[in-house]
């Protein structure tokens, strides 16, 4: 498939792989496609650069926008892999449906993404633990300030060479359990990847940072009793006899890394339960010595060990503050598949030529 490509005239110097961090650098090109009364049309690759938007653009006022996060990985042979990209495009349409955004042809999104990544191949870093983060997003763009669904939209994909999401890298992170503010409630938009969910998380995140915690663990928005997710990642608890992650109940994001960990852990022979998990059970089973490991999962965060959970005046240290054996094994296996270092028995990776 050929789409129109307008090449950039002044390619940028590639950043030093050792100082990438997360989300600071962007490649030379981006993909754009518009939606209007003629539907989605005219996908093209253009130089990375600003949009011209009216101050009345609806997204600015009412937040009608969705996004995705995925990565391209450089294998030891120098090939480039995507990881389960069709899952991201399935999910973007799930988000679109909830936000009254016209759905997009998932096959076409994948084909155009492959074109973009192929053009920007040289931007996929090869240093250990680095990758090219892919951010597809859609936003409403009618110049109108009445509250309704927009008719015009822009779909765009930008690419960013990245290292670890957390400054801590693979060092375990400390998490604050939030029992006052909530991220989402059932019936709301918690299961979607929409900007507002992240805006809703900022205040509690700042308070947690001031207290020395890097992330917030959200509880359900109605009873404030059950564990949900961290916002930038889903969460897993390894008890003596089971690996537990909260069931997808409508207010939790269905992470693709989450889904892959569940499948991987079952493949390894573990009992994995997706169920309601009261935070009290976490504290009680920790007191009984049954809580062995806690880790988060996400495209950006990958598999991220948790060293401490704090809720009001209670704090528990997990696995002496160190990364647990299962967490390390899941990290190594998942990233081994993604970076093409070990065999992919699941058919999750897709090579970009
Ligand atoms: C991702 O993991 O790709 C996300 O979208 C999380 C984001 C907050 C960086």
């Amino acid at each position: 498939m050929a789409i129109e490509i307008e090449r950039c005239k002044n390619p940028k110097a590639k950043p030093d792989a050792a100082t990438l961090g997360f989300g600071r650098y962007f490649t030379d090109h981006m993909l754009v496609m518009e939606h209007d009364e003629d539907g989605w049309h005219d996908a093209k690759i253009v130089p990375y650069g600003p949009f011209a938007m009216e101050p009345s653009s609806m997204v600015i006022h009412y937040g009608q926008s969705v996004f995705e996060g995925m990565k391209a990985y450089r294998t030891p042979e120098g090939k480039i892999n995507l990881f389960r990209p069709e899952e991201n495009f399935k999910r973007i349409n799930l988000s679109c449906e909830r936000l009254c955004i016209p759905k997009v042809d998932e096959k076409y999104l994948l084909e155009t993404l492959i074109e973009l990544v192929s053009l920007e191949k040289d931007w996929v870093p090869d240093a250990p633990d680095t990758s090219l983060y892919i951010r597809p997003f859609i936003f409403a763009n009618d110049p109108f300030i009445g509250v309704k669904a927009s008719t015009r939209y822009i779909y765009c994909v930008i690419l960013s060479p990245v290292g670890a999401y957390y400054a801590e890298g693979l060092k375990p992170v400390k998490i604050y359990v939030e029992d006052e503010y909530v991220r989402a409630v059932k019936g709301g938009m918690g299961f979607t990847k929409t900007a507002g969910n992240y805006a809703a998380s900022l205040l509690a995140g700042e308070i947690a940072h001031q207290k020395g915690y890097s992330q917030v663990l959200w509880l359900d928005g109605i009873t404030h009793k059950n564990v949900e997710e961290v916002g930038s990642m889903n969460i897993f608890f390894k008890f003596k006899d089971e690996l537990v992650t909260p069931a997808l109940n409508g207010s939790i994001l269905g992470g693709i890394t989450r889904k892959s960990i569940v499948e991987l852990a079952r493949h390894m022979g573990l009992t994995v339960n997706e169920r309601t998990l009261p935070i009290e059970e976490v504290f009680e089973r920790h007191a009984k010595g049954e809580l062995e490991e806690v880790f988060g999962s996400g495209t950006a965060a990958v598999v991220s060990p948790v060293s401490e959970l704090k809720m009001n005046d209670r704090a528990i240290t997990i696995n002496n503050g160190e990364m647990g054996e299962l967490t390390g094994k899941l990290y190594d296996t998942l990233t081994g598949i993604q970076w093409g270092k070990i065999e992919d028995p699941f058919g999750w990776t897709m090579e970009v030529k």
Side-chain angles (χ1 to χ4, degrees):
M1 189 209 48
I3 59 170
E4 192 187 319
I5 300 178
E6 180 193 334
R7 283 178 189 271
C8 90
K9 297 206 169 58
N10 300 304
K12 294 175 256 195
K14 310 276 185 302
D16 179 356
T19 57
L20 284 177
F22 184 87
R24 288 203 298 261
Y25 302 100
F26 300 95
T27 70
D28 292 321
H29 297 90
M30 61 185 191
L31 179 88
V32 277
M33 177 166 65
E34 291 187 25
H35 180 281
D36 54 23
E37 48 290 341
D38 297 327
W40 287 109
H41 58 84
D42 286 336
K44 45 183 181 275
I45 293 173
V46 296
Y48 177 91
F51 292 115
M53 286 162 67
E54 296 210 22
S56 56
S57 175
M58 287 187 77
V59 67
I60 300 169
H61 304 273
Y62 307 121
Q64 201 191 0
S65 71
V66 297
F67 70 95
E68 273 304 316
M70 55 217 285
K71 282 175 173 168
Y73 306 85
R74 173 94 49 194
T75 72
E77 299 80 32
K79 294 180 184 166
I80 290 162
N81 279 345
L82 296 176
F83 183 75
R84 311 189 83 174
E86 65 289 346
E87 294 286 340
N88 292 87
F89 293 131
K90 214 190 279 172
R91 190 172 64 186
I92 207 169
N93 270 338
L94 199 70
S95 300
C96 282
E97 200 168 17
R98 178 63 181 82
L99 277 110
C100 295
I101 295 175
K103 287 195 189 175
V104 200
D105 180 339
E106 293 165 24
K107 235 177 108 218
Y108 187 63
L109 294 195
L110 182 54
E111 284 168 8
T112 51
L113 175 70
I114 289 169
E115 287 260 335
L116 179 68
V117 174
S118 180
L119 178 74
E120 299 289 66
K121 259 196 186 102
D122 293 348
W123 281 90
V124 183
D126 59 4
D129 303 328
T130 62
S131 56
L132 185 69
Y133 187 77
I134 301 169
R135 172 55 61 86
F137 57 101
I138 301 176
F139 61 91
N141 200 26
D142 269 1
F144 178 68
I145 54 168
V147 178
K148 69 168 187 70
S150 183
T151 54
R152 283 179 235 185
Y153 297 87
I154 292 183
Y155 169 77
C156 180
V157 185
I158 55 174
L159 307 173
S160 173
V162 297
Y165 183 69
Y166 294 119
E168 292 94 329
L170 248 193
K171 215 174 121 226
V173 291
K174 289 166 65 179
I175 288 191
Y176 191 81
V177 184
E178 178 57 59
D179 70 345
E180 184 189 347
Y181 297 108
V182 299
R183 172 188 169 272
V185 286
K186 246 187 240 182
M189 304 191 299
F191 67 95
T192 70
K193 244 175 141 50
T194 187
N197 287 339
Y198 297 80
S201 75
L202 297 177
L203 179 59
E206 286 198 359
I207 295 169
H209 279 149
Q210 283 159 14
K211 293 180 174 158
Y213 292 82
S214 39
Q215 292 289 312
V216 167
L217 176 61
W218 299 102
L219 302 179
D220 74 276
I222 299 191
T223 69
H224 297 211
K225 287 190 172 140
N226 300 317
V227 174
E228 296 237 307
E229 59 154 273
V230 175
S232 55
M233 53 187 194
N234 293 110
I235 189 98
F236 285 82
F237 295 79
K238 168 70 175 70
F239 297 107
K240 250 191 168 56
D241 51 350
E242 57 172 345
L243 179 64
V244 179
T245 191
L248 301 179
N249 60 358
S251 53
I252 297 174
L253 184 84
I256 292 149
T257 312
R258 173 193 180 281
K259 179 175 177 166
S260 306
I261 295 281
V262 167
E263 290 168 22
L264 200 54
R266 286 193 177 133
H267 183 76
M268 287 170 172
L270 270 90
T271 302
V272 185
N273 291 317
E274 298 175 71
R275 65 170 172 86
T276 302
L277 178 62
I279 189 68
E280 280 314 313
E281 178 182 335
V282 172
F283 282 101
E284 277 162 24
R285 294 186 77 176
H286 177 268
K288 286 192 210 151
E290 289 175 14
L291 176 61
E292 295 173 344
E293 302 178 35
V294 180
F295 62 88
S297 70
T299 299
V302 194
V303 173
S304 181
V306 174
S307 57
E308 183 185 322
L309 287 176
K310 162 103 170 154
M311 185 174 167
N312 299 320
D313 53 359
R314 288 186 291 176
I316 52 176
T317 301
I318 294 120
N319 195 41
N320 297 317
E322 282 162 22
M323 176 159 77
E325 195 185 323
L326 176 68
T327 309
K329 193 168 162 195
L330 289 168
Y331 177 88
D332 288 343
T333 311
L334 185 71
T335 59
I337 292 173
Q338 290 169 331
W339 270 285
K341 291 181 195 158
I342 59 175
E343 202 204 325
D344 169 14
F346 307 99
W348 286 340
T349 50
M350 174 186 290
E351 190 188 340
V352 174
K353 298 252 166 84

